[in-house]
Amino acid sequence: MNEKTKSTVKALIRVAVAMIIFVLAVVNYDRLKNIDVRALVEASSSTLVAVITIWGVYLTKSILFIIPASLIYISVGMAFPPLTASLISLVGIIIEVTVTYFLGLFLGGEYVNRQLEKTKAGKKILDMKLNDNFLALLPIRALPVFPIDFVSLFWGASKCSFHRYFFASVIGIMPRVVLFTILGDGIYDYIPIHLIVKIIICAIPVGAIIYLVRHFIKIRNS
């Protein structure tokens, strides 16, 4: 298999993954954006099963970007004592930021950048030209203005240092998680998270088509 063929196969695999994410997001949008985490916990046969279920929700969020973060934090806070809830969410955040980083790394910089350019929050991230800057990522993670998974995709696609990204993410996000776990979700009243998520989902197939067209043009001209 020559280099052009390998490159084309990789491009097709990336597009296939992007389209699978798109289809799953569209089909499950209403169900996931209103997911009842507390009901899942109550239906679990044991505490261990309940905790694993919550981590499964975090994993789903890291791939499909639909589930509102505040919904998880608050539900976990209502289902468990504050300290236990915070520890459960800490592991969930670790799962989420790790999986989404490597998803961004897999999809590649061009694809992710095109998706970011389609939203205000994404454009702000690109305009900052953060490039592997721990101190720049820390406040972005601490503020609820920037969607967690959007930022994770960007850092992964940019091939930035994983350990810097990881520690900045966990340190920056956890105070917010603890706050929402204890105080509730009033801070999200002024942030159109659902609108941002819809824009991201609609941008996936458009980005995939543009990516393929540019890929084949590049091959033809090489």
Side-chain angles (χ1 to χ4, degrees), residues 115-116 119 121-122 125 147-155 196 200:
Q115 307 318 307
L116 290 174
T119 67
I125 294 170
I148 292 173
D149 300 315
F150 237 179
V151 176
S152 299
L153 275 178
F154 172 75
W155 249 265
I196 292 173
I200 295 171

Side-chain angles (χ1 to χ4, degrees), residues 47-214:
T47 301
L48 178 60
V49 173
V51 172
I52 292 173
T53 300
I54 291 168
W55 290 339
V57 173
Y58 272 104
L59 177 62
T60 303
K61 180 182 183 302
S62 71
I63 298 170
L64 298 183
F65 320 133
I66 295 173
I67 305 171
S70 60
L71 187 66
I72 306 177
Y73 307 153
I74 295 165
S75 298
V76 175
M78 294 173 74
F80 296 92
L83 179 58
T84 304
S86 297
L87 291 174
I88 291 171
S89 286
L90 170 61
V91 176
I93 288 298
I94 289 172
I95 293 170
E96 181 180 356
V97 299
T98 300
V99 171
T100 312
Y101 172 91
F102 285 105
L103 179 61
L105 185 65
F106 171 77
L107 292 174
E110 286 187 14
Y111 174 83
V112 172
N113 285 349
R114 281 196 297 274
Q115 307 318 307
L116 290 174
E117 287 171 355
K118 297 179 188 298
T119 67
K120 280 188 177 180
K123 284 180 180 178
K124 286 180 181 177
I125 294 170
L126 291 174
D127 291 342
M128 288 178 183
K129 303 186 185 303
L130 301 171
N131 296 330
D132 213 4
N133 191 325
F134 178 91
L135 293 177
L137 177 57
L138 203 55
I140 287 176
R141 284 309 203 188
L143 296 171
V145 176
F146 298 97
I148 292 173
D149 300 315
F150 237 179
V151 176
S152 299
L153 275 178
F154 172 75
W155 249 265
S158 301
K159 298 181 180 178
C160 293
S161 166
F162 176 74
H163 74 272
R164 284 198 205 95
Y165 154 86
F166 177 81
F167 287 113
S169 295
V170 173
I171 294 170
I173 294 171
M174 274 314 293
R176 186 199 321 180
V177 173
V178 173
L179 235 122
F180 278 116
T181 299
I182 298 171
L183 300 179
D185 65 345
I187 194 170
Y188 271 128
D189 290 343
Y190 303 101
I191 303 172
I193 296 298
H194 291 311
L195 177 60
I196 292 173
V197 169
K198 287 178 182 178
I199 293 171
I200 295 171
I201 292 173
C202 292
I204 290 175
V206 175
I209 293 169
I210 294 172
Y211 173 80
L212 272 181
V213 170
R214 291 185 63 177

Side-chain angles (χ1 to χ4, degrees), residues 9 35 53 56 68 92 135 157 221:
V9 170
I35 189 169
T53 300
L135 293 177
N221 294 336

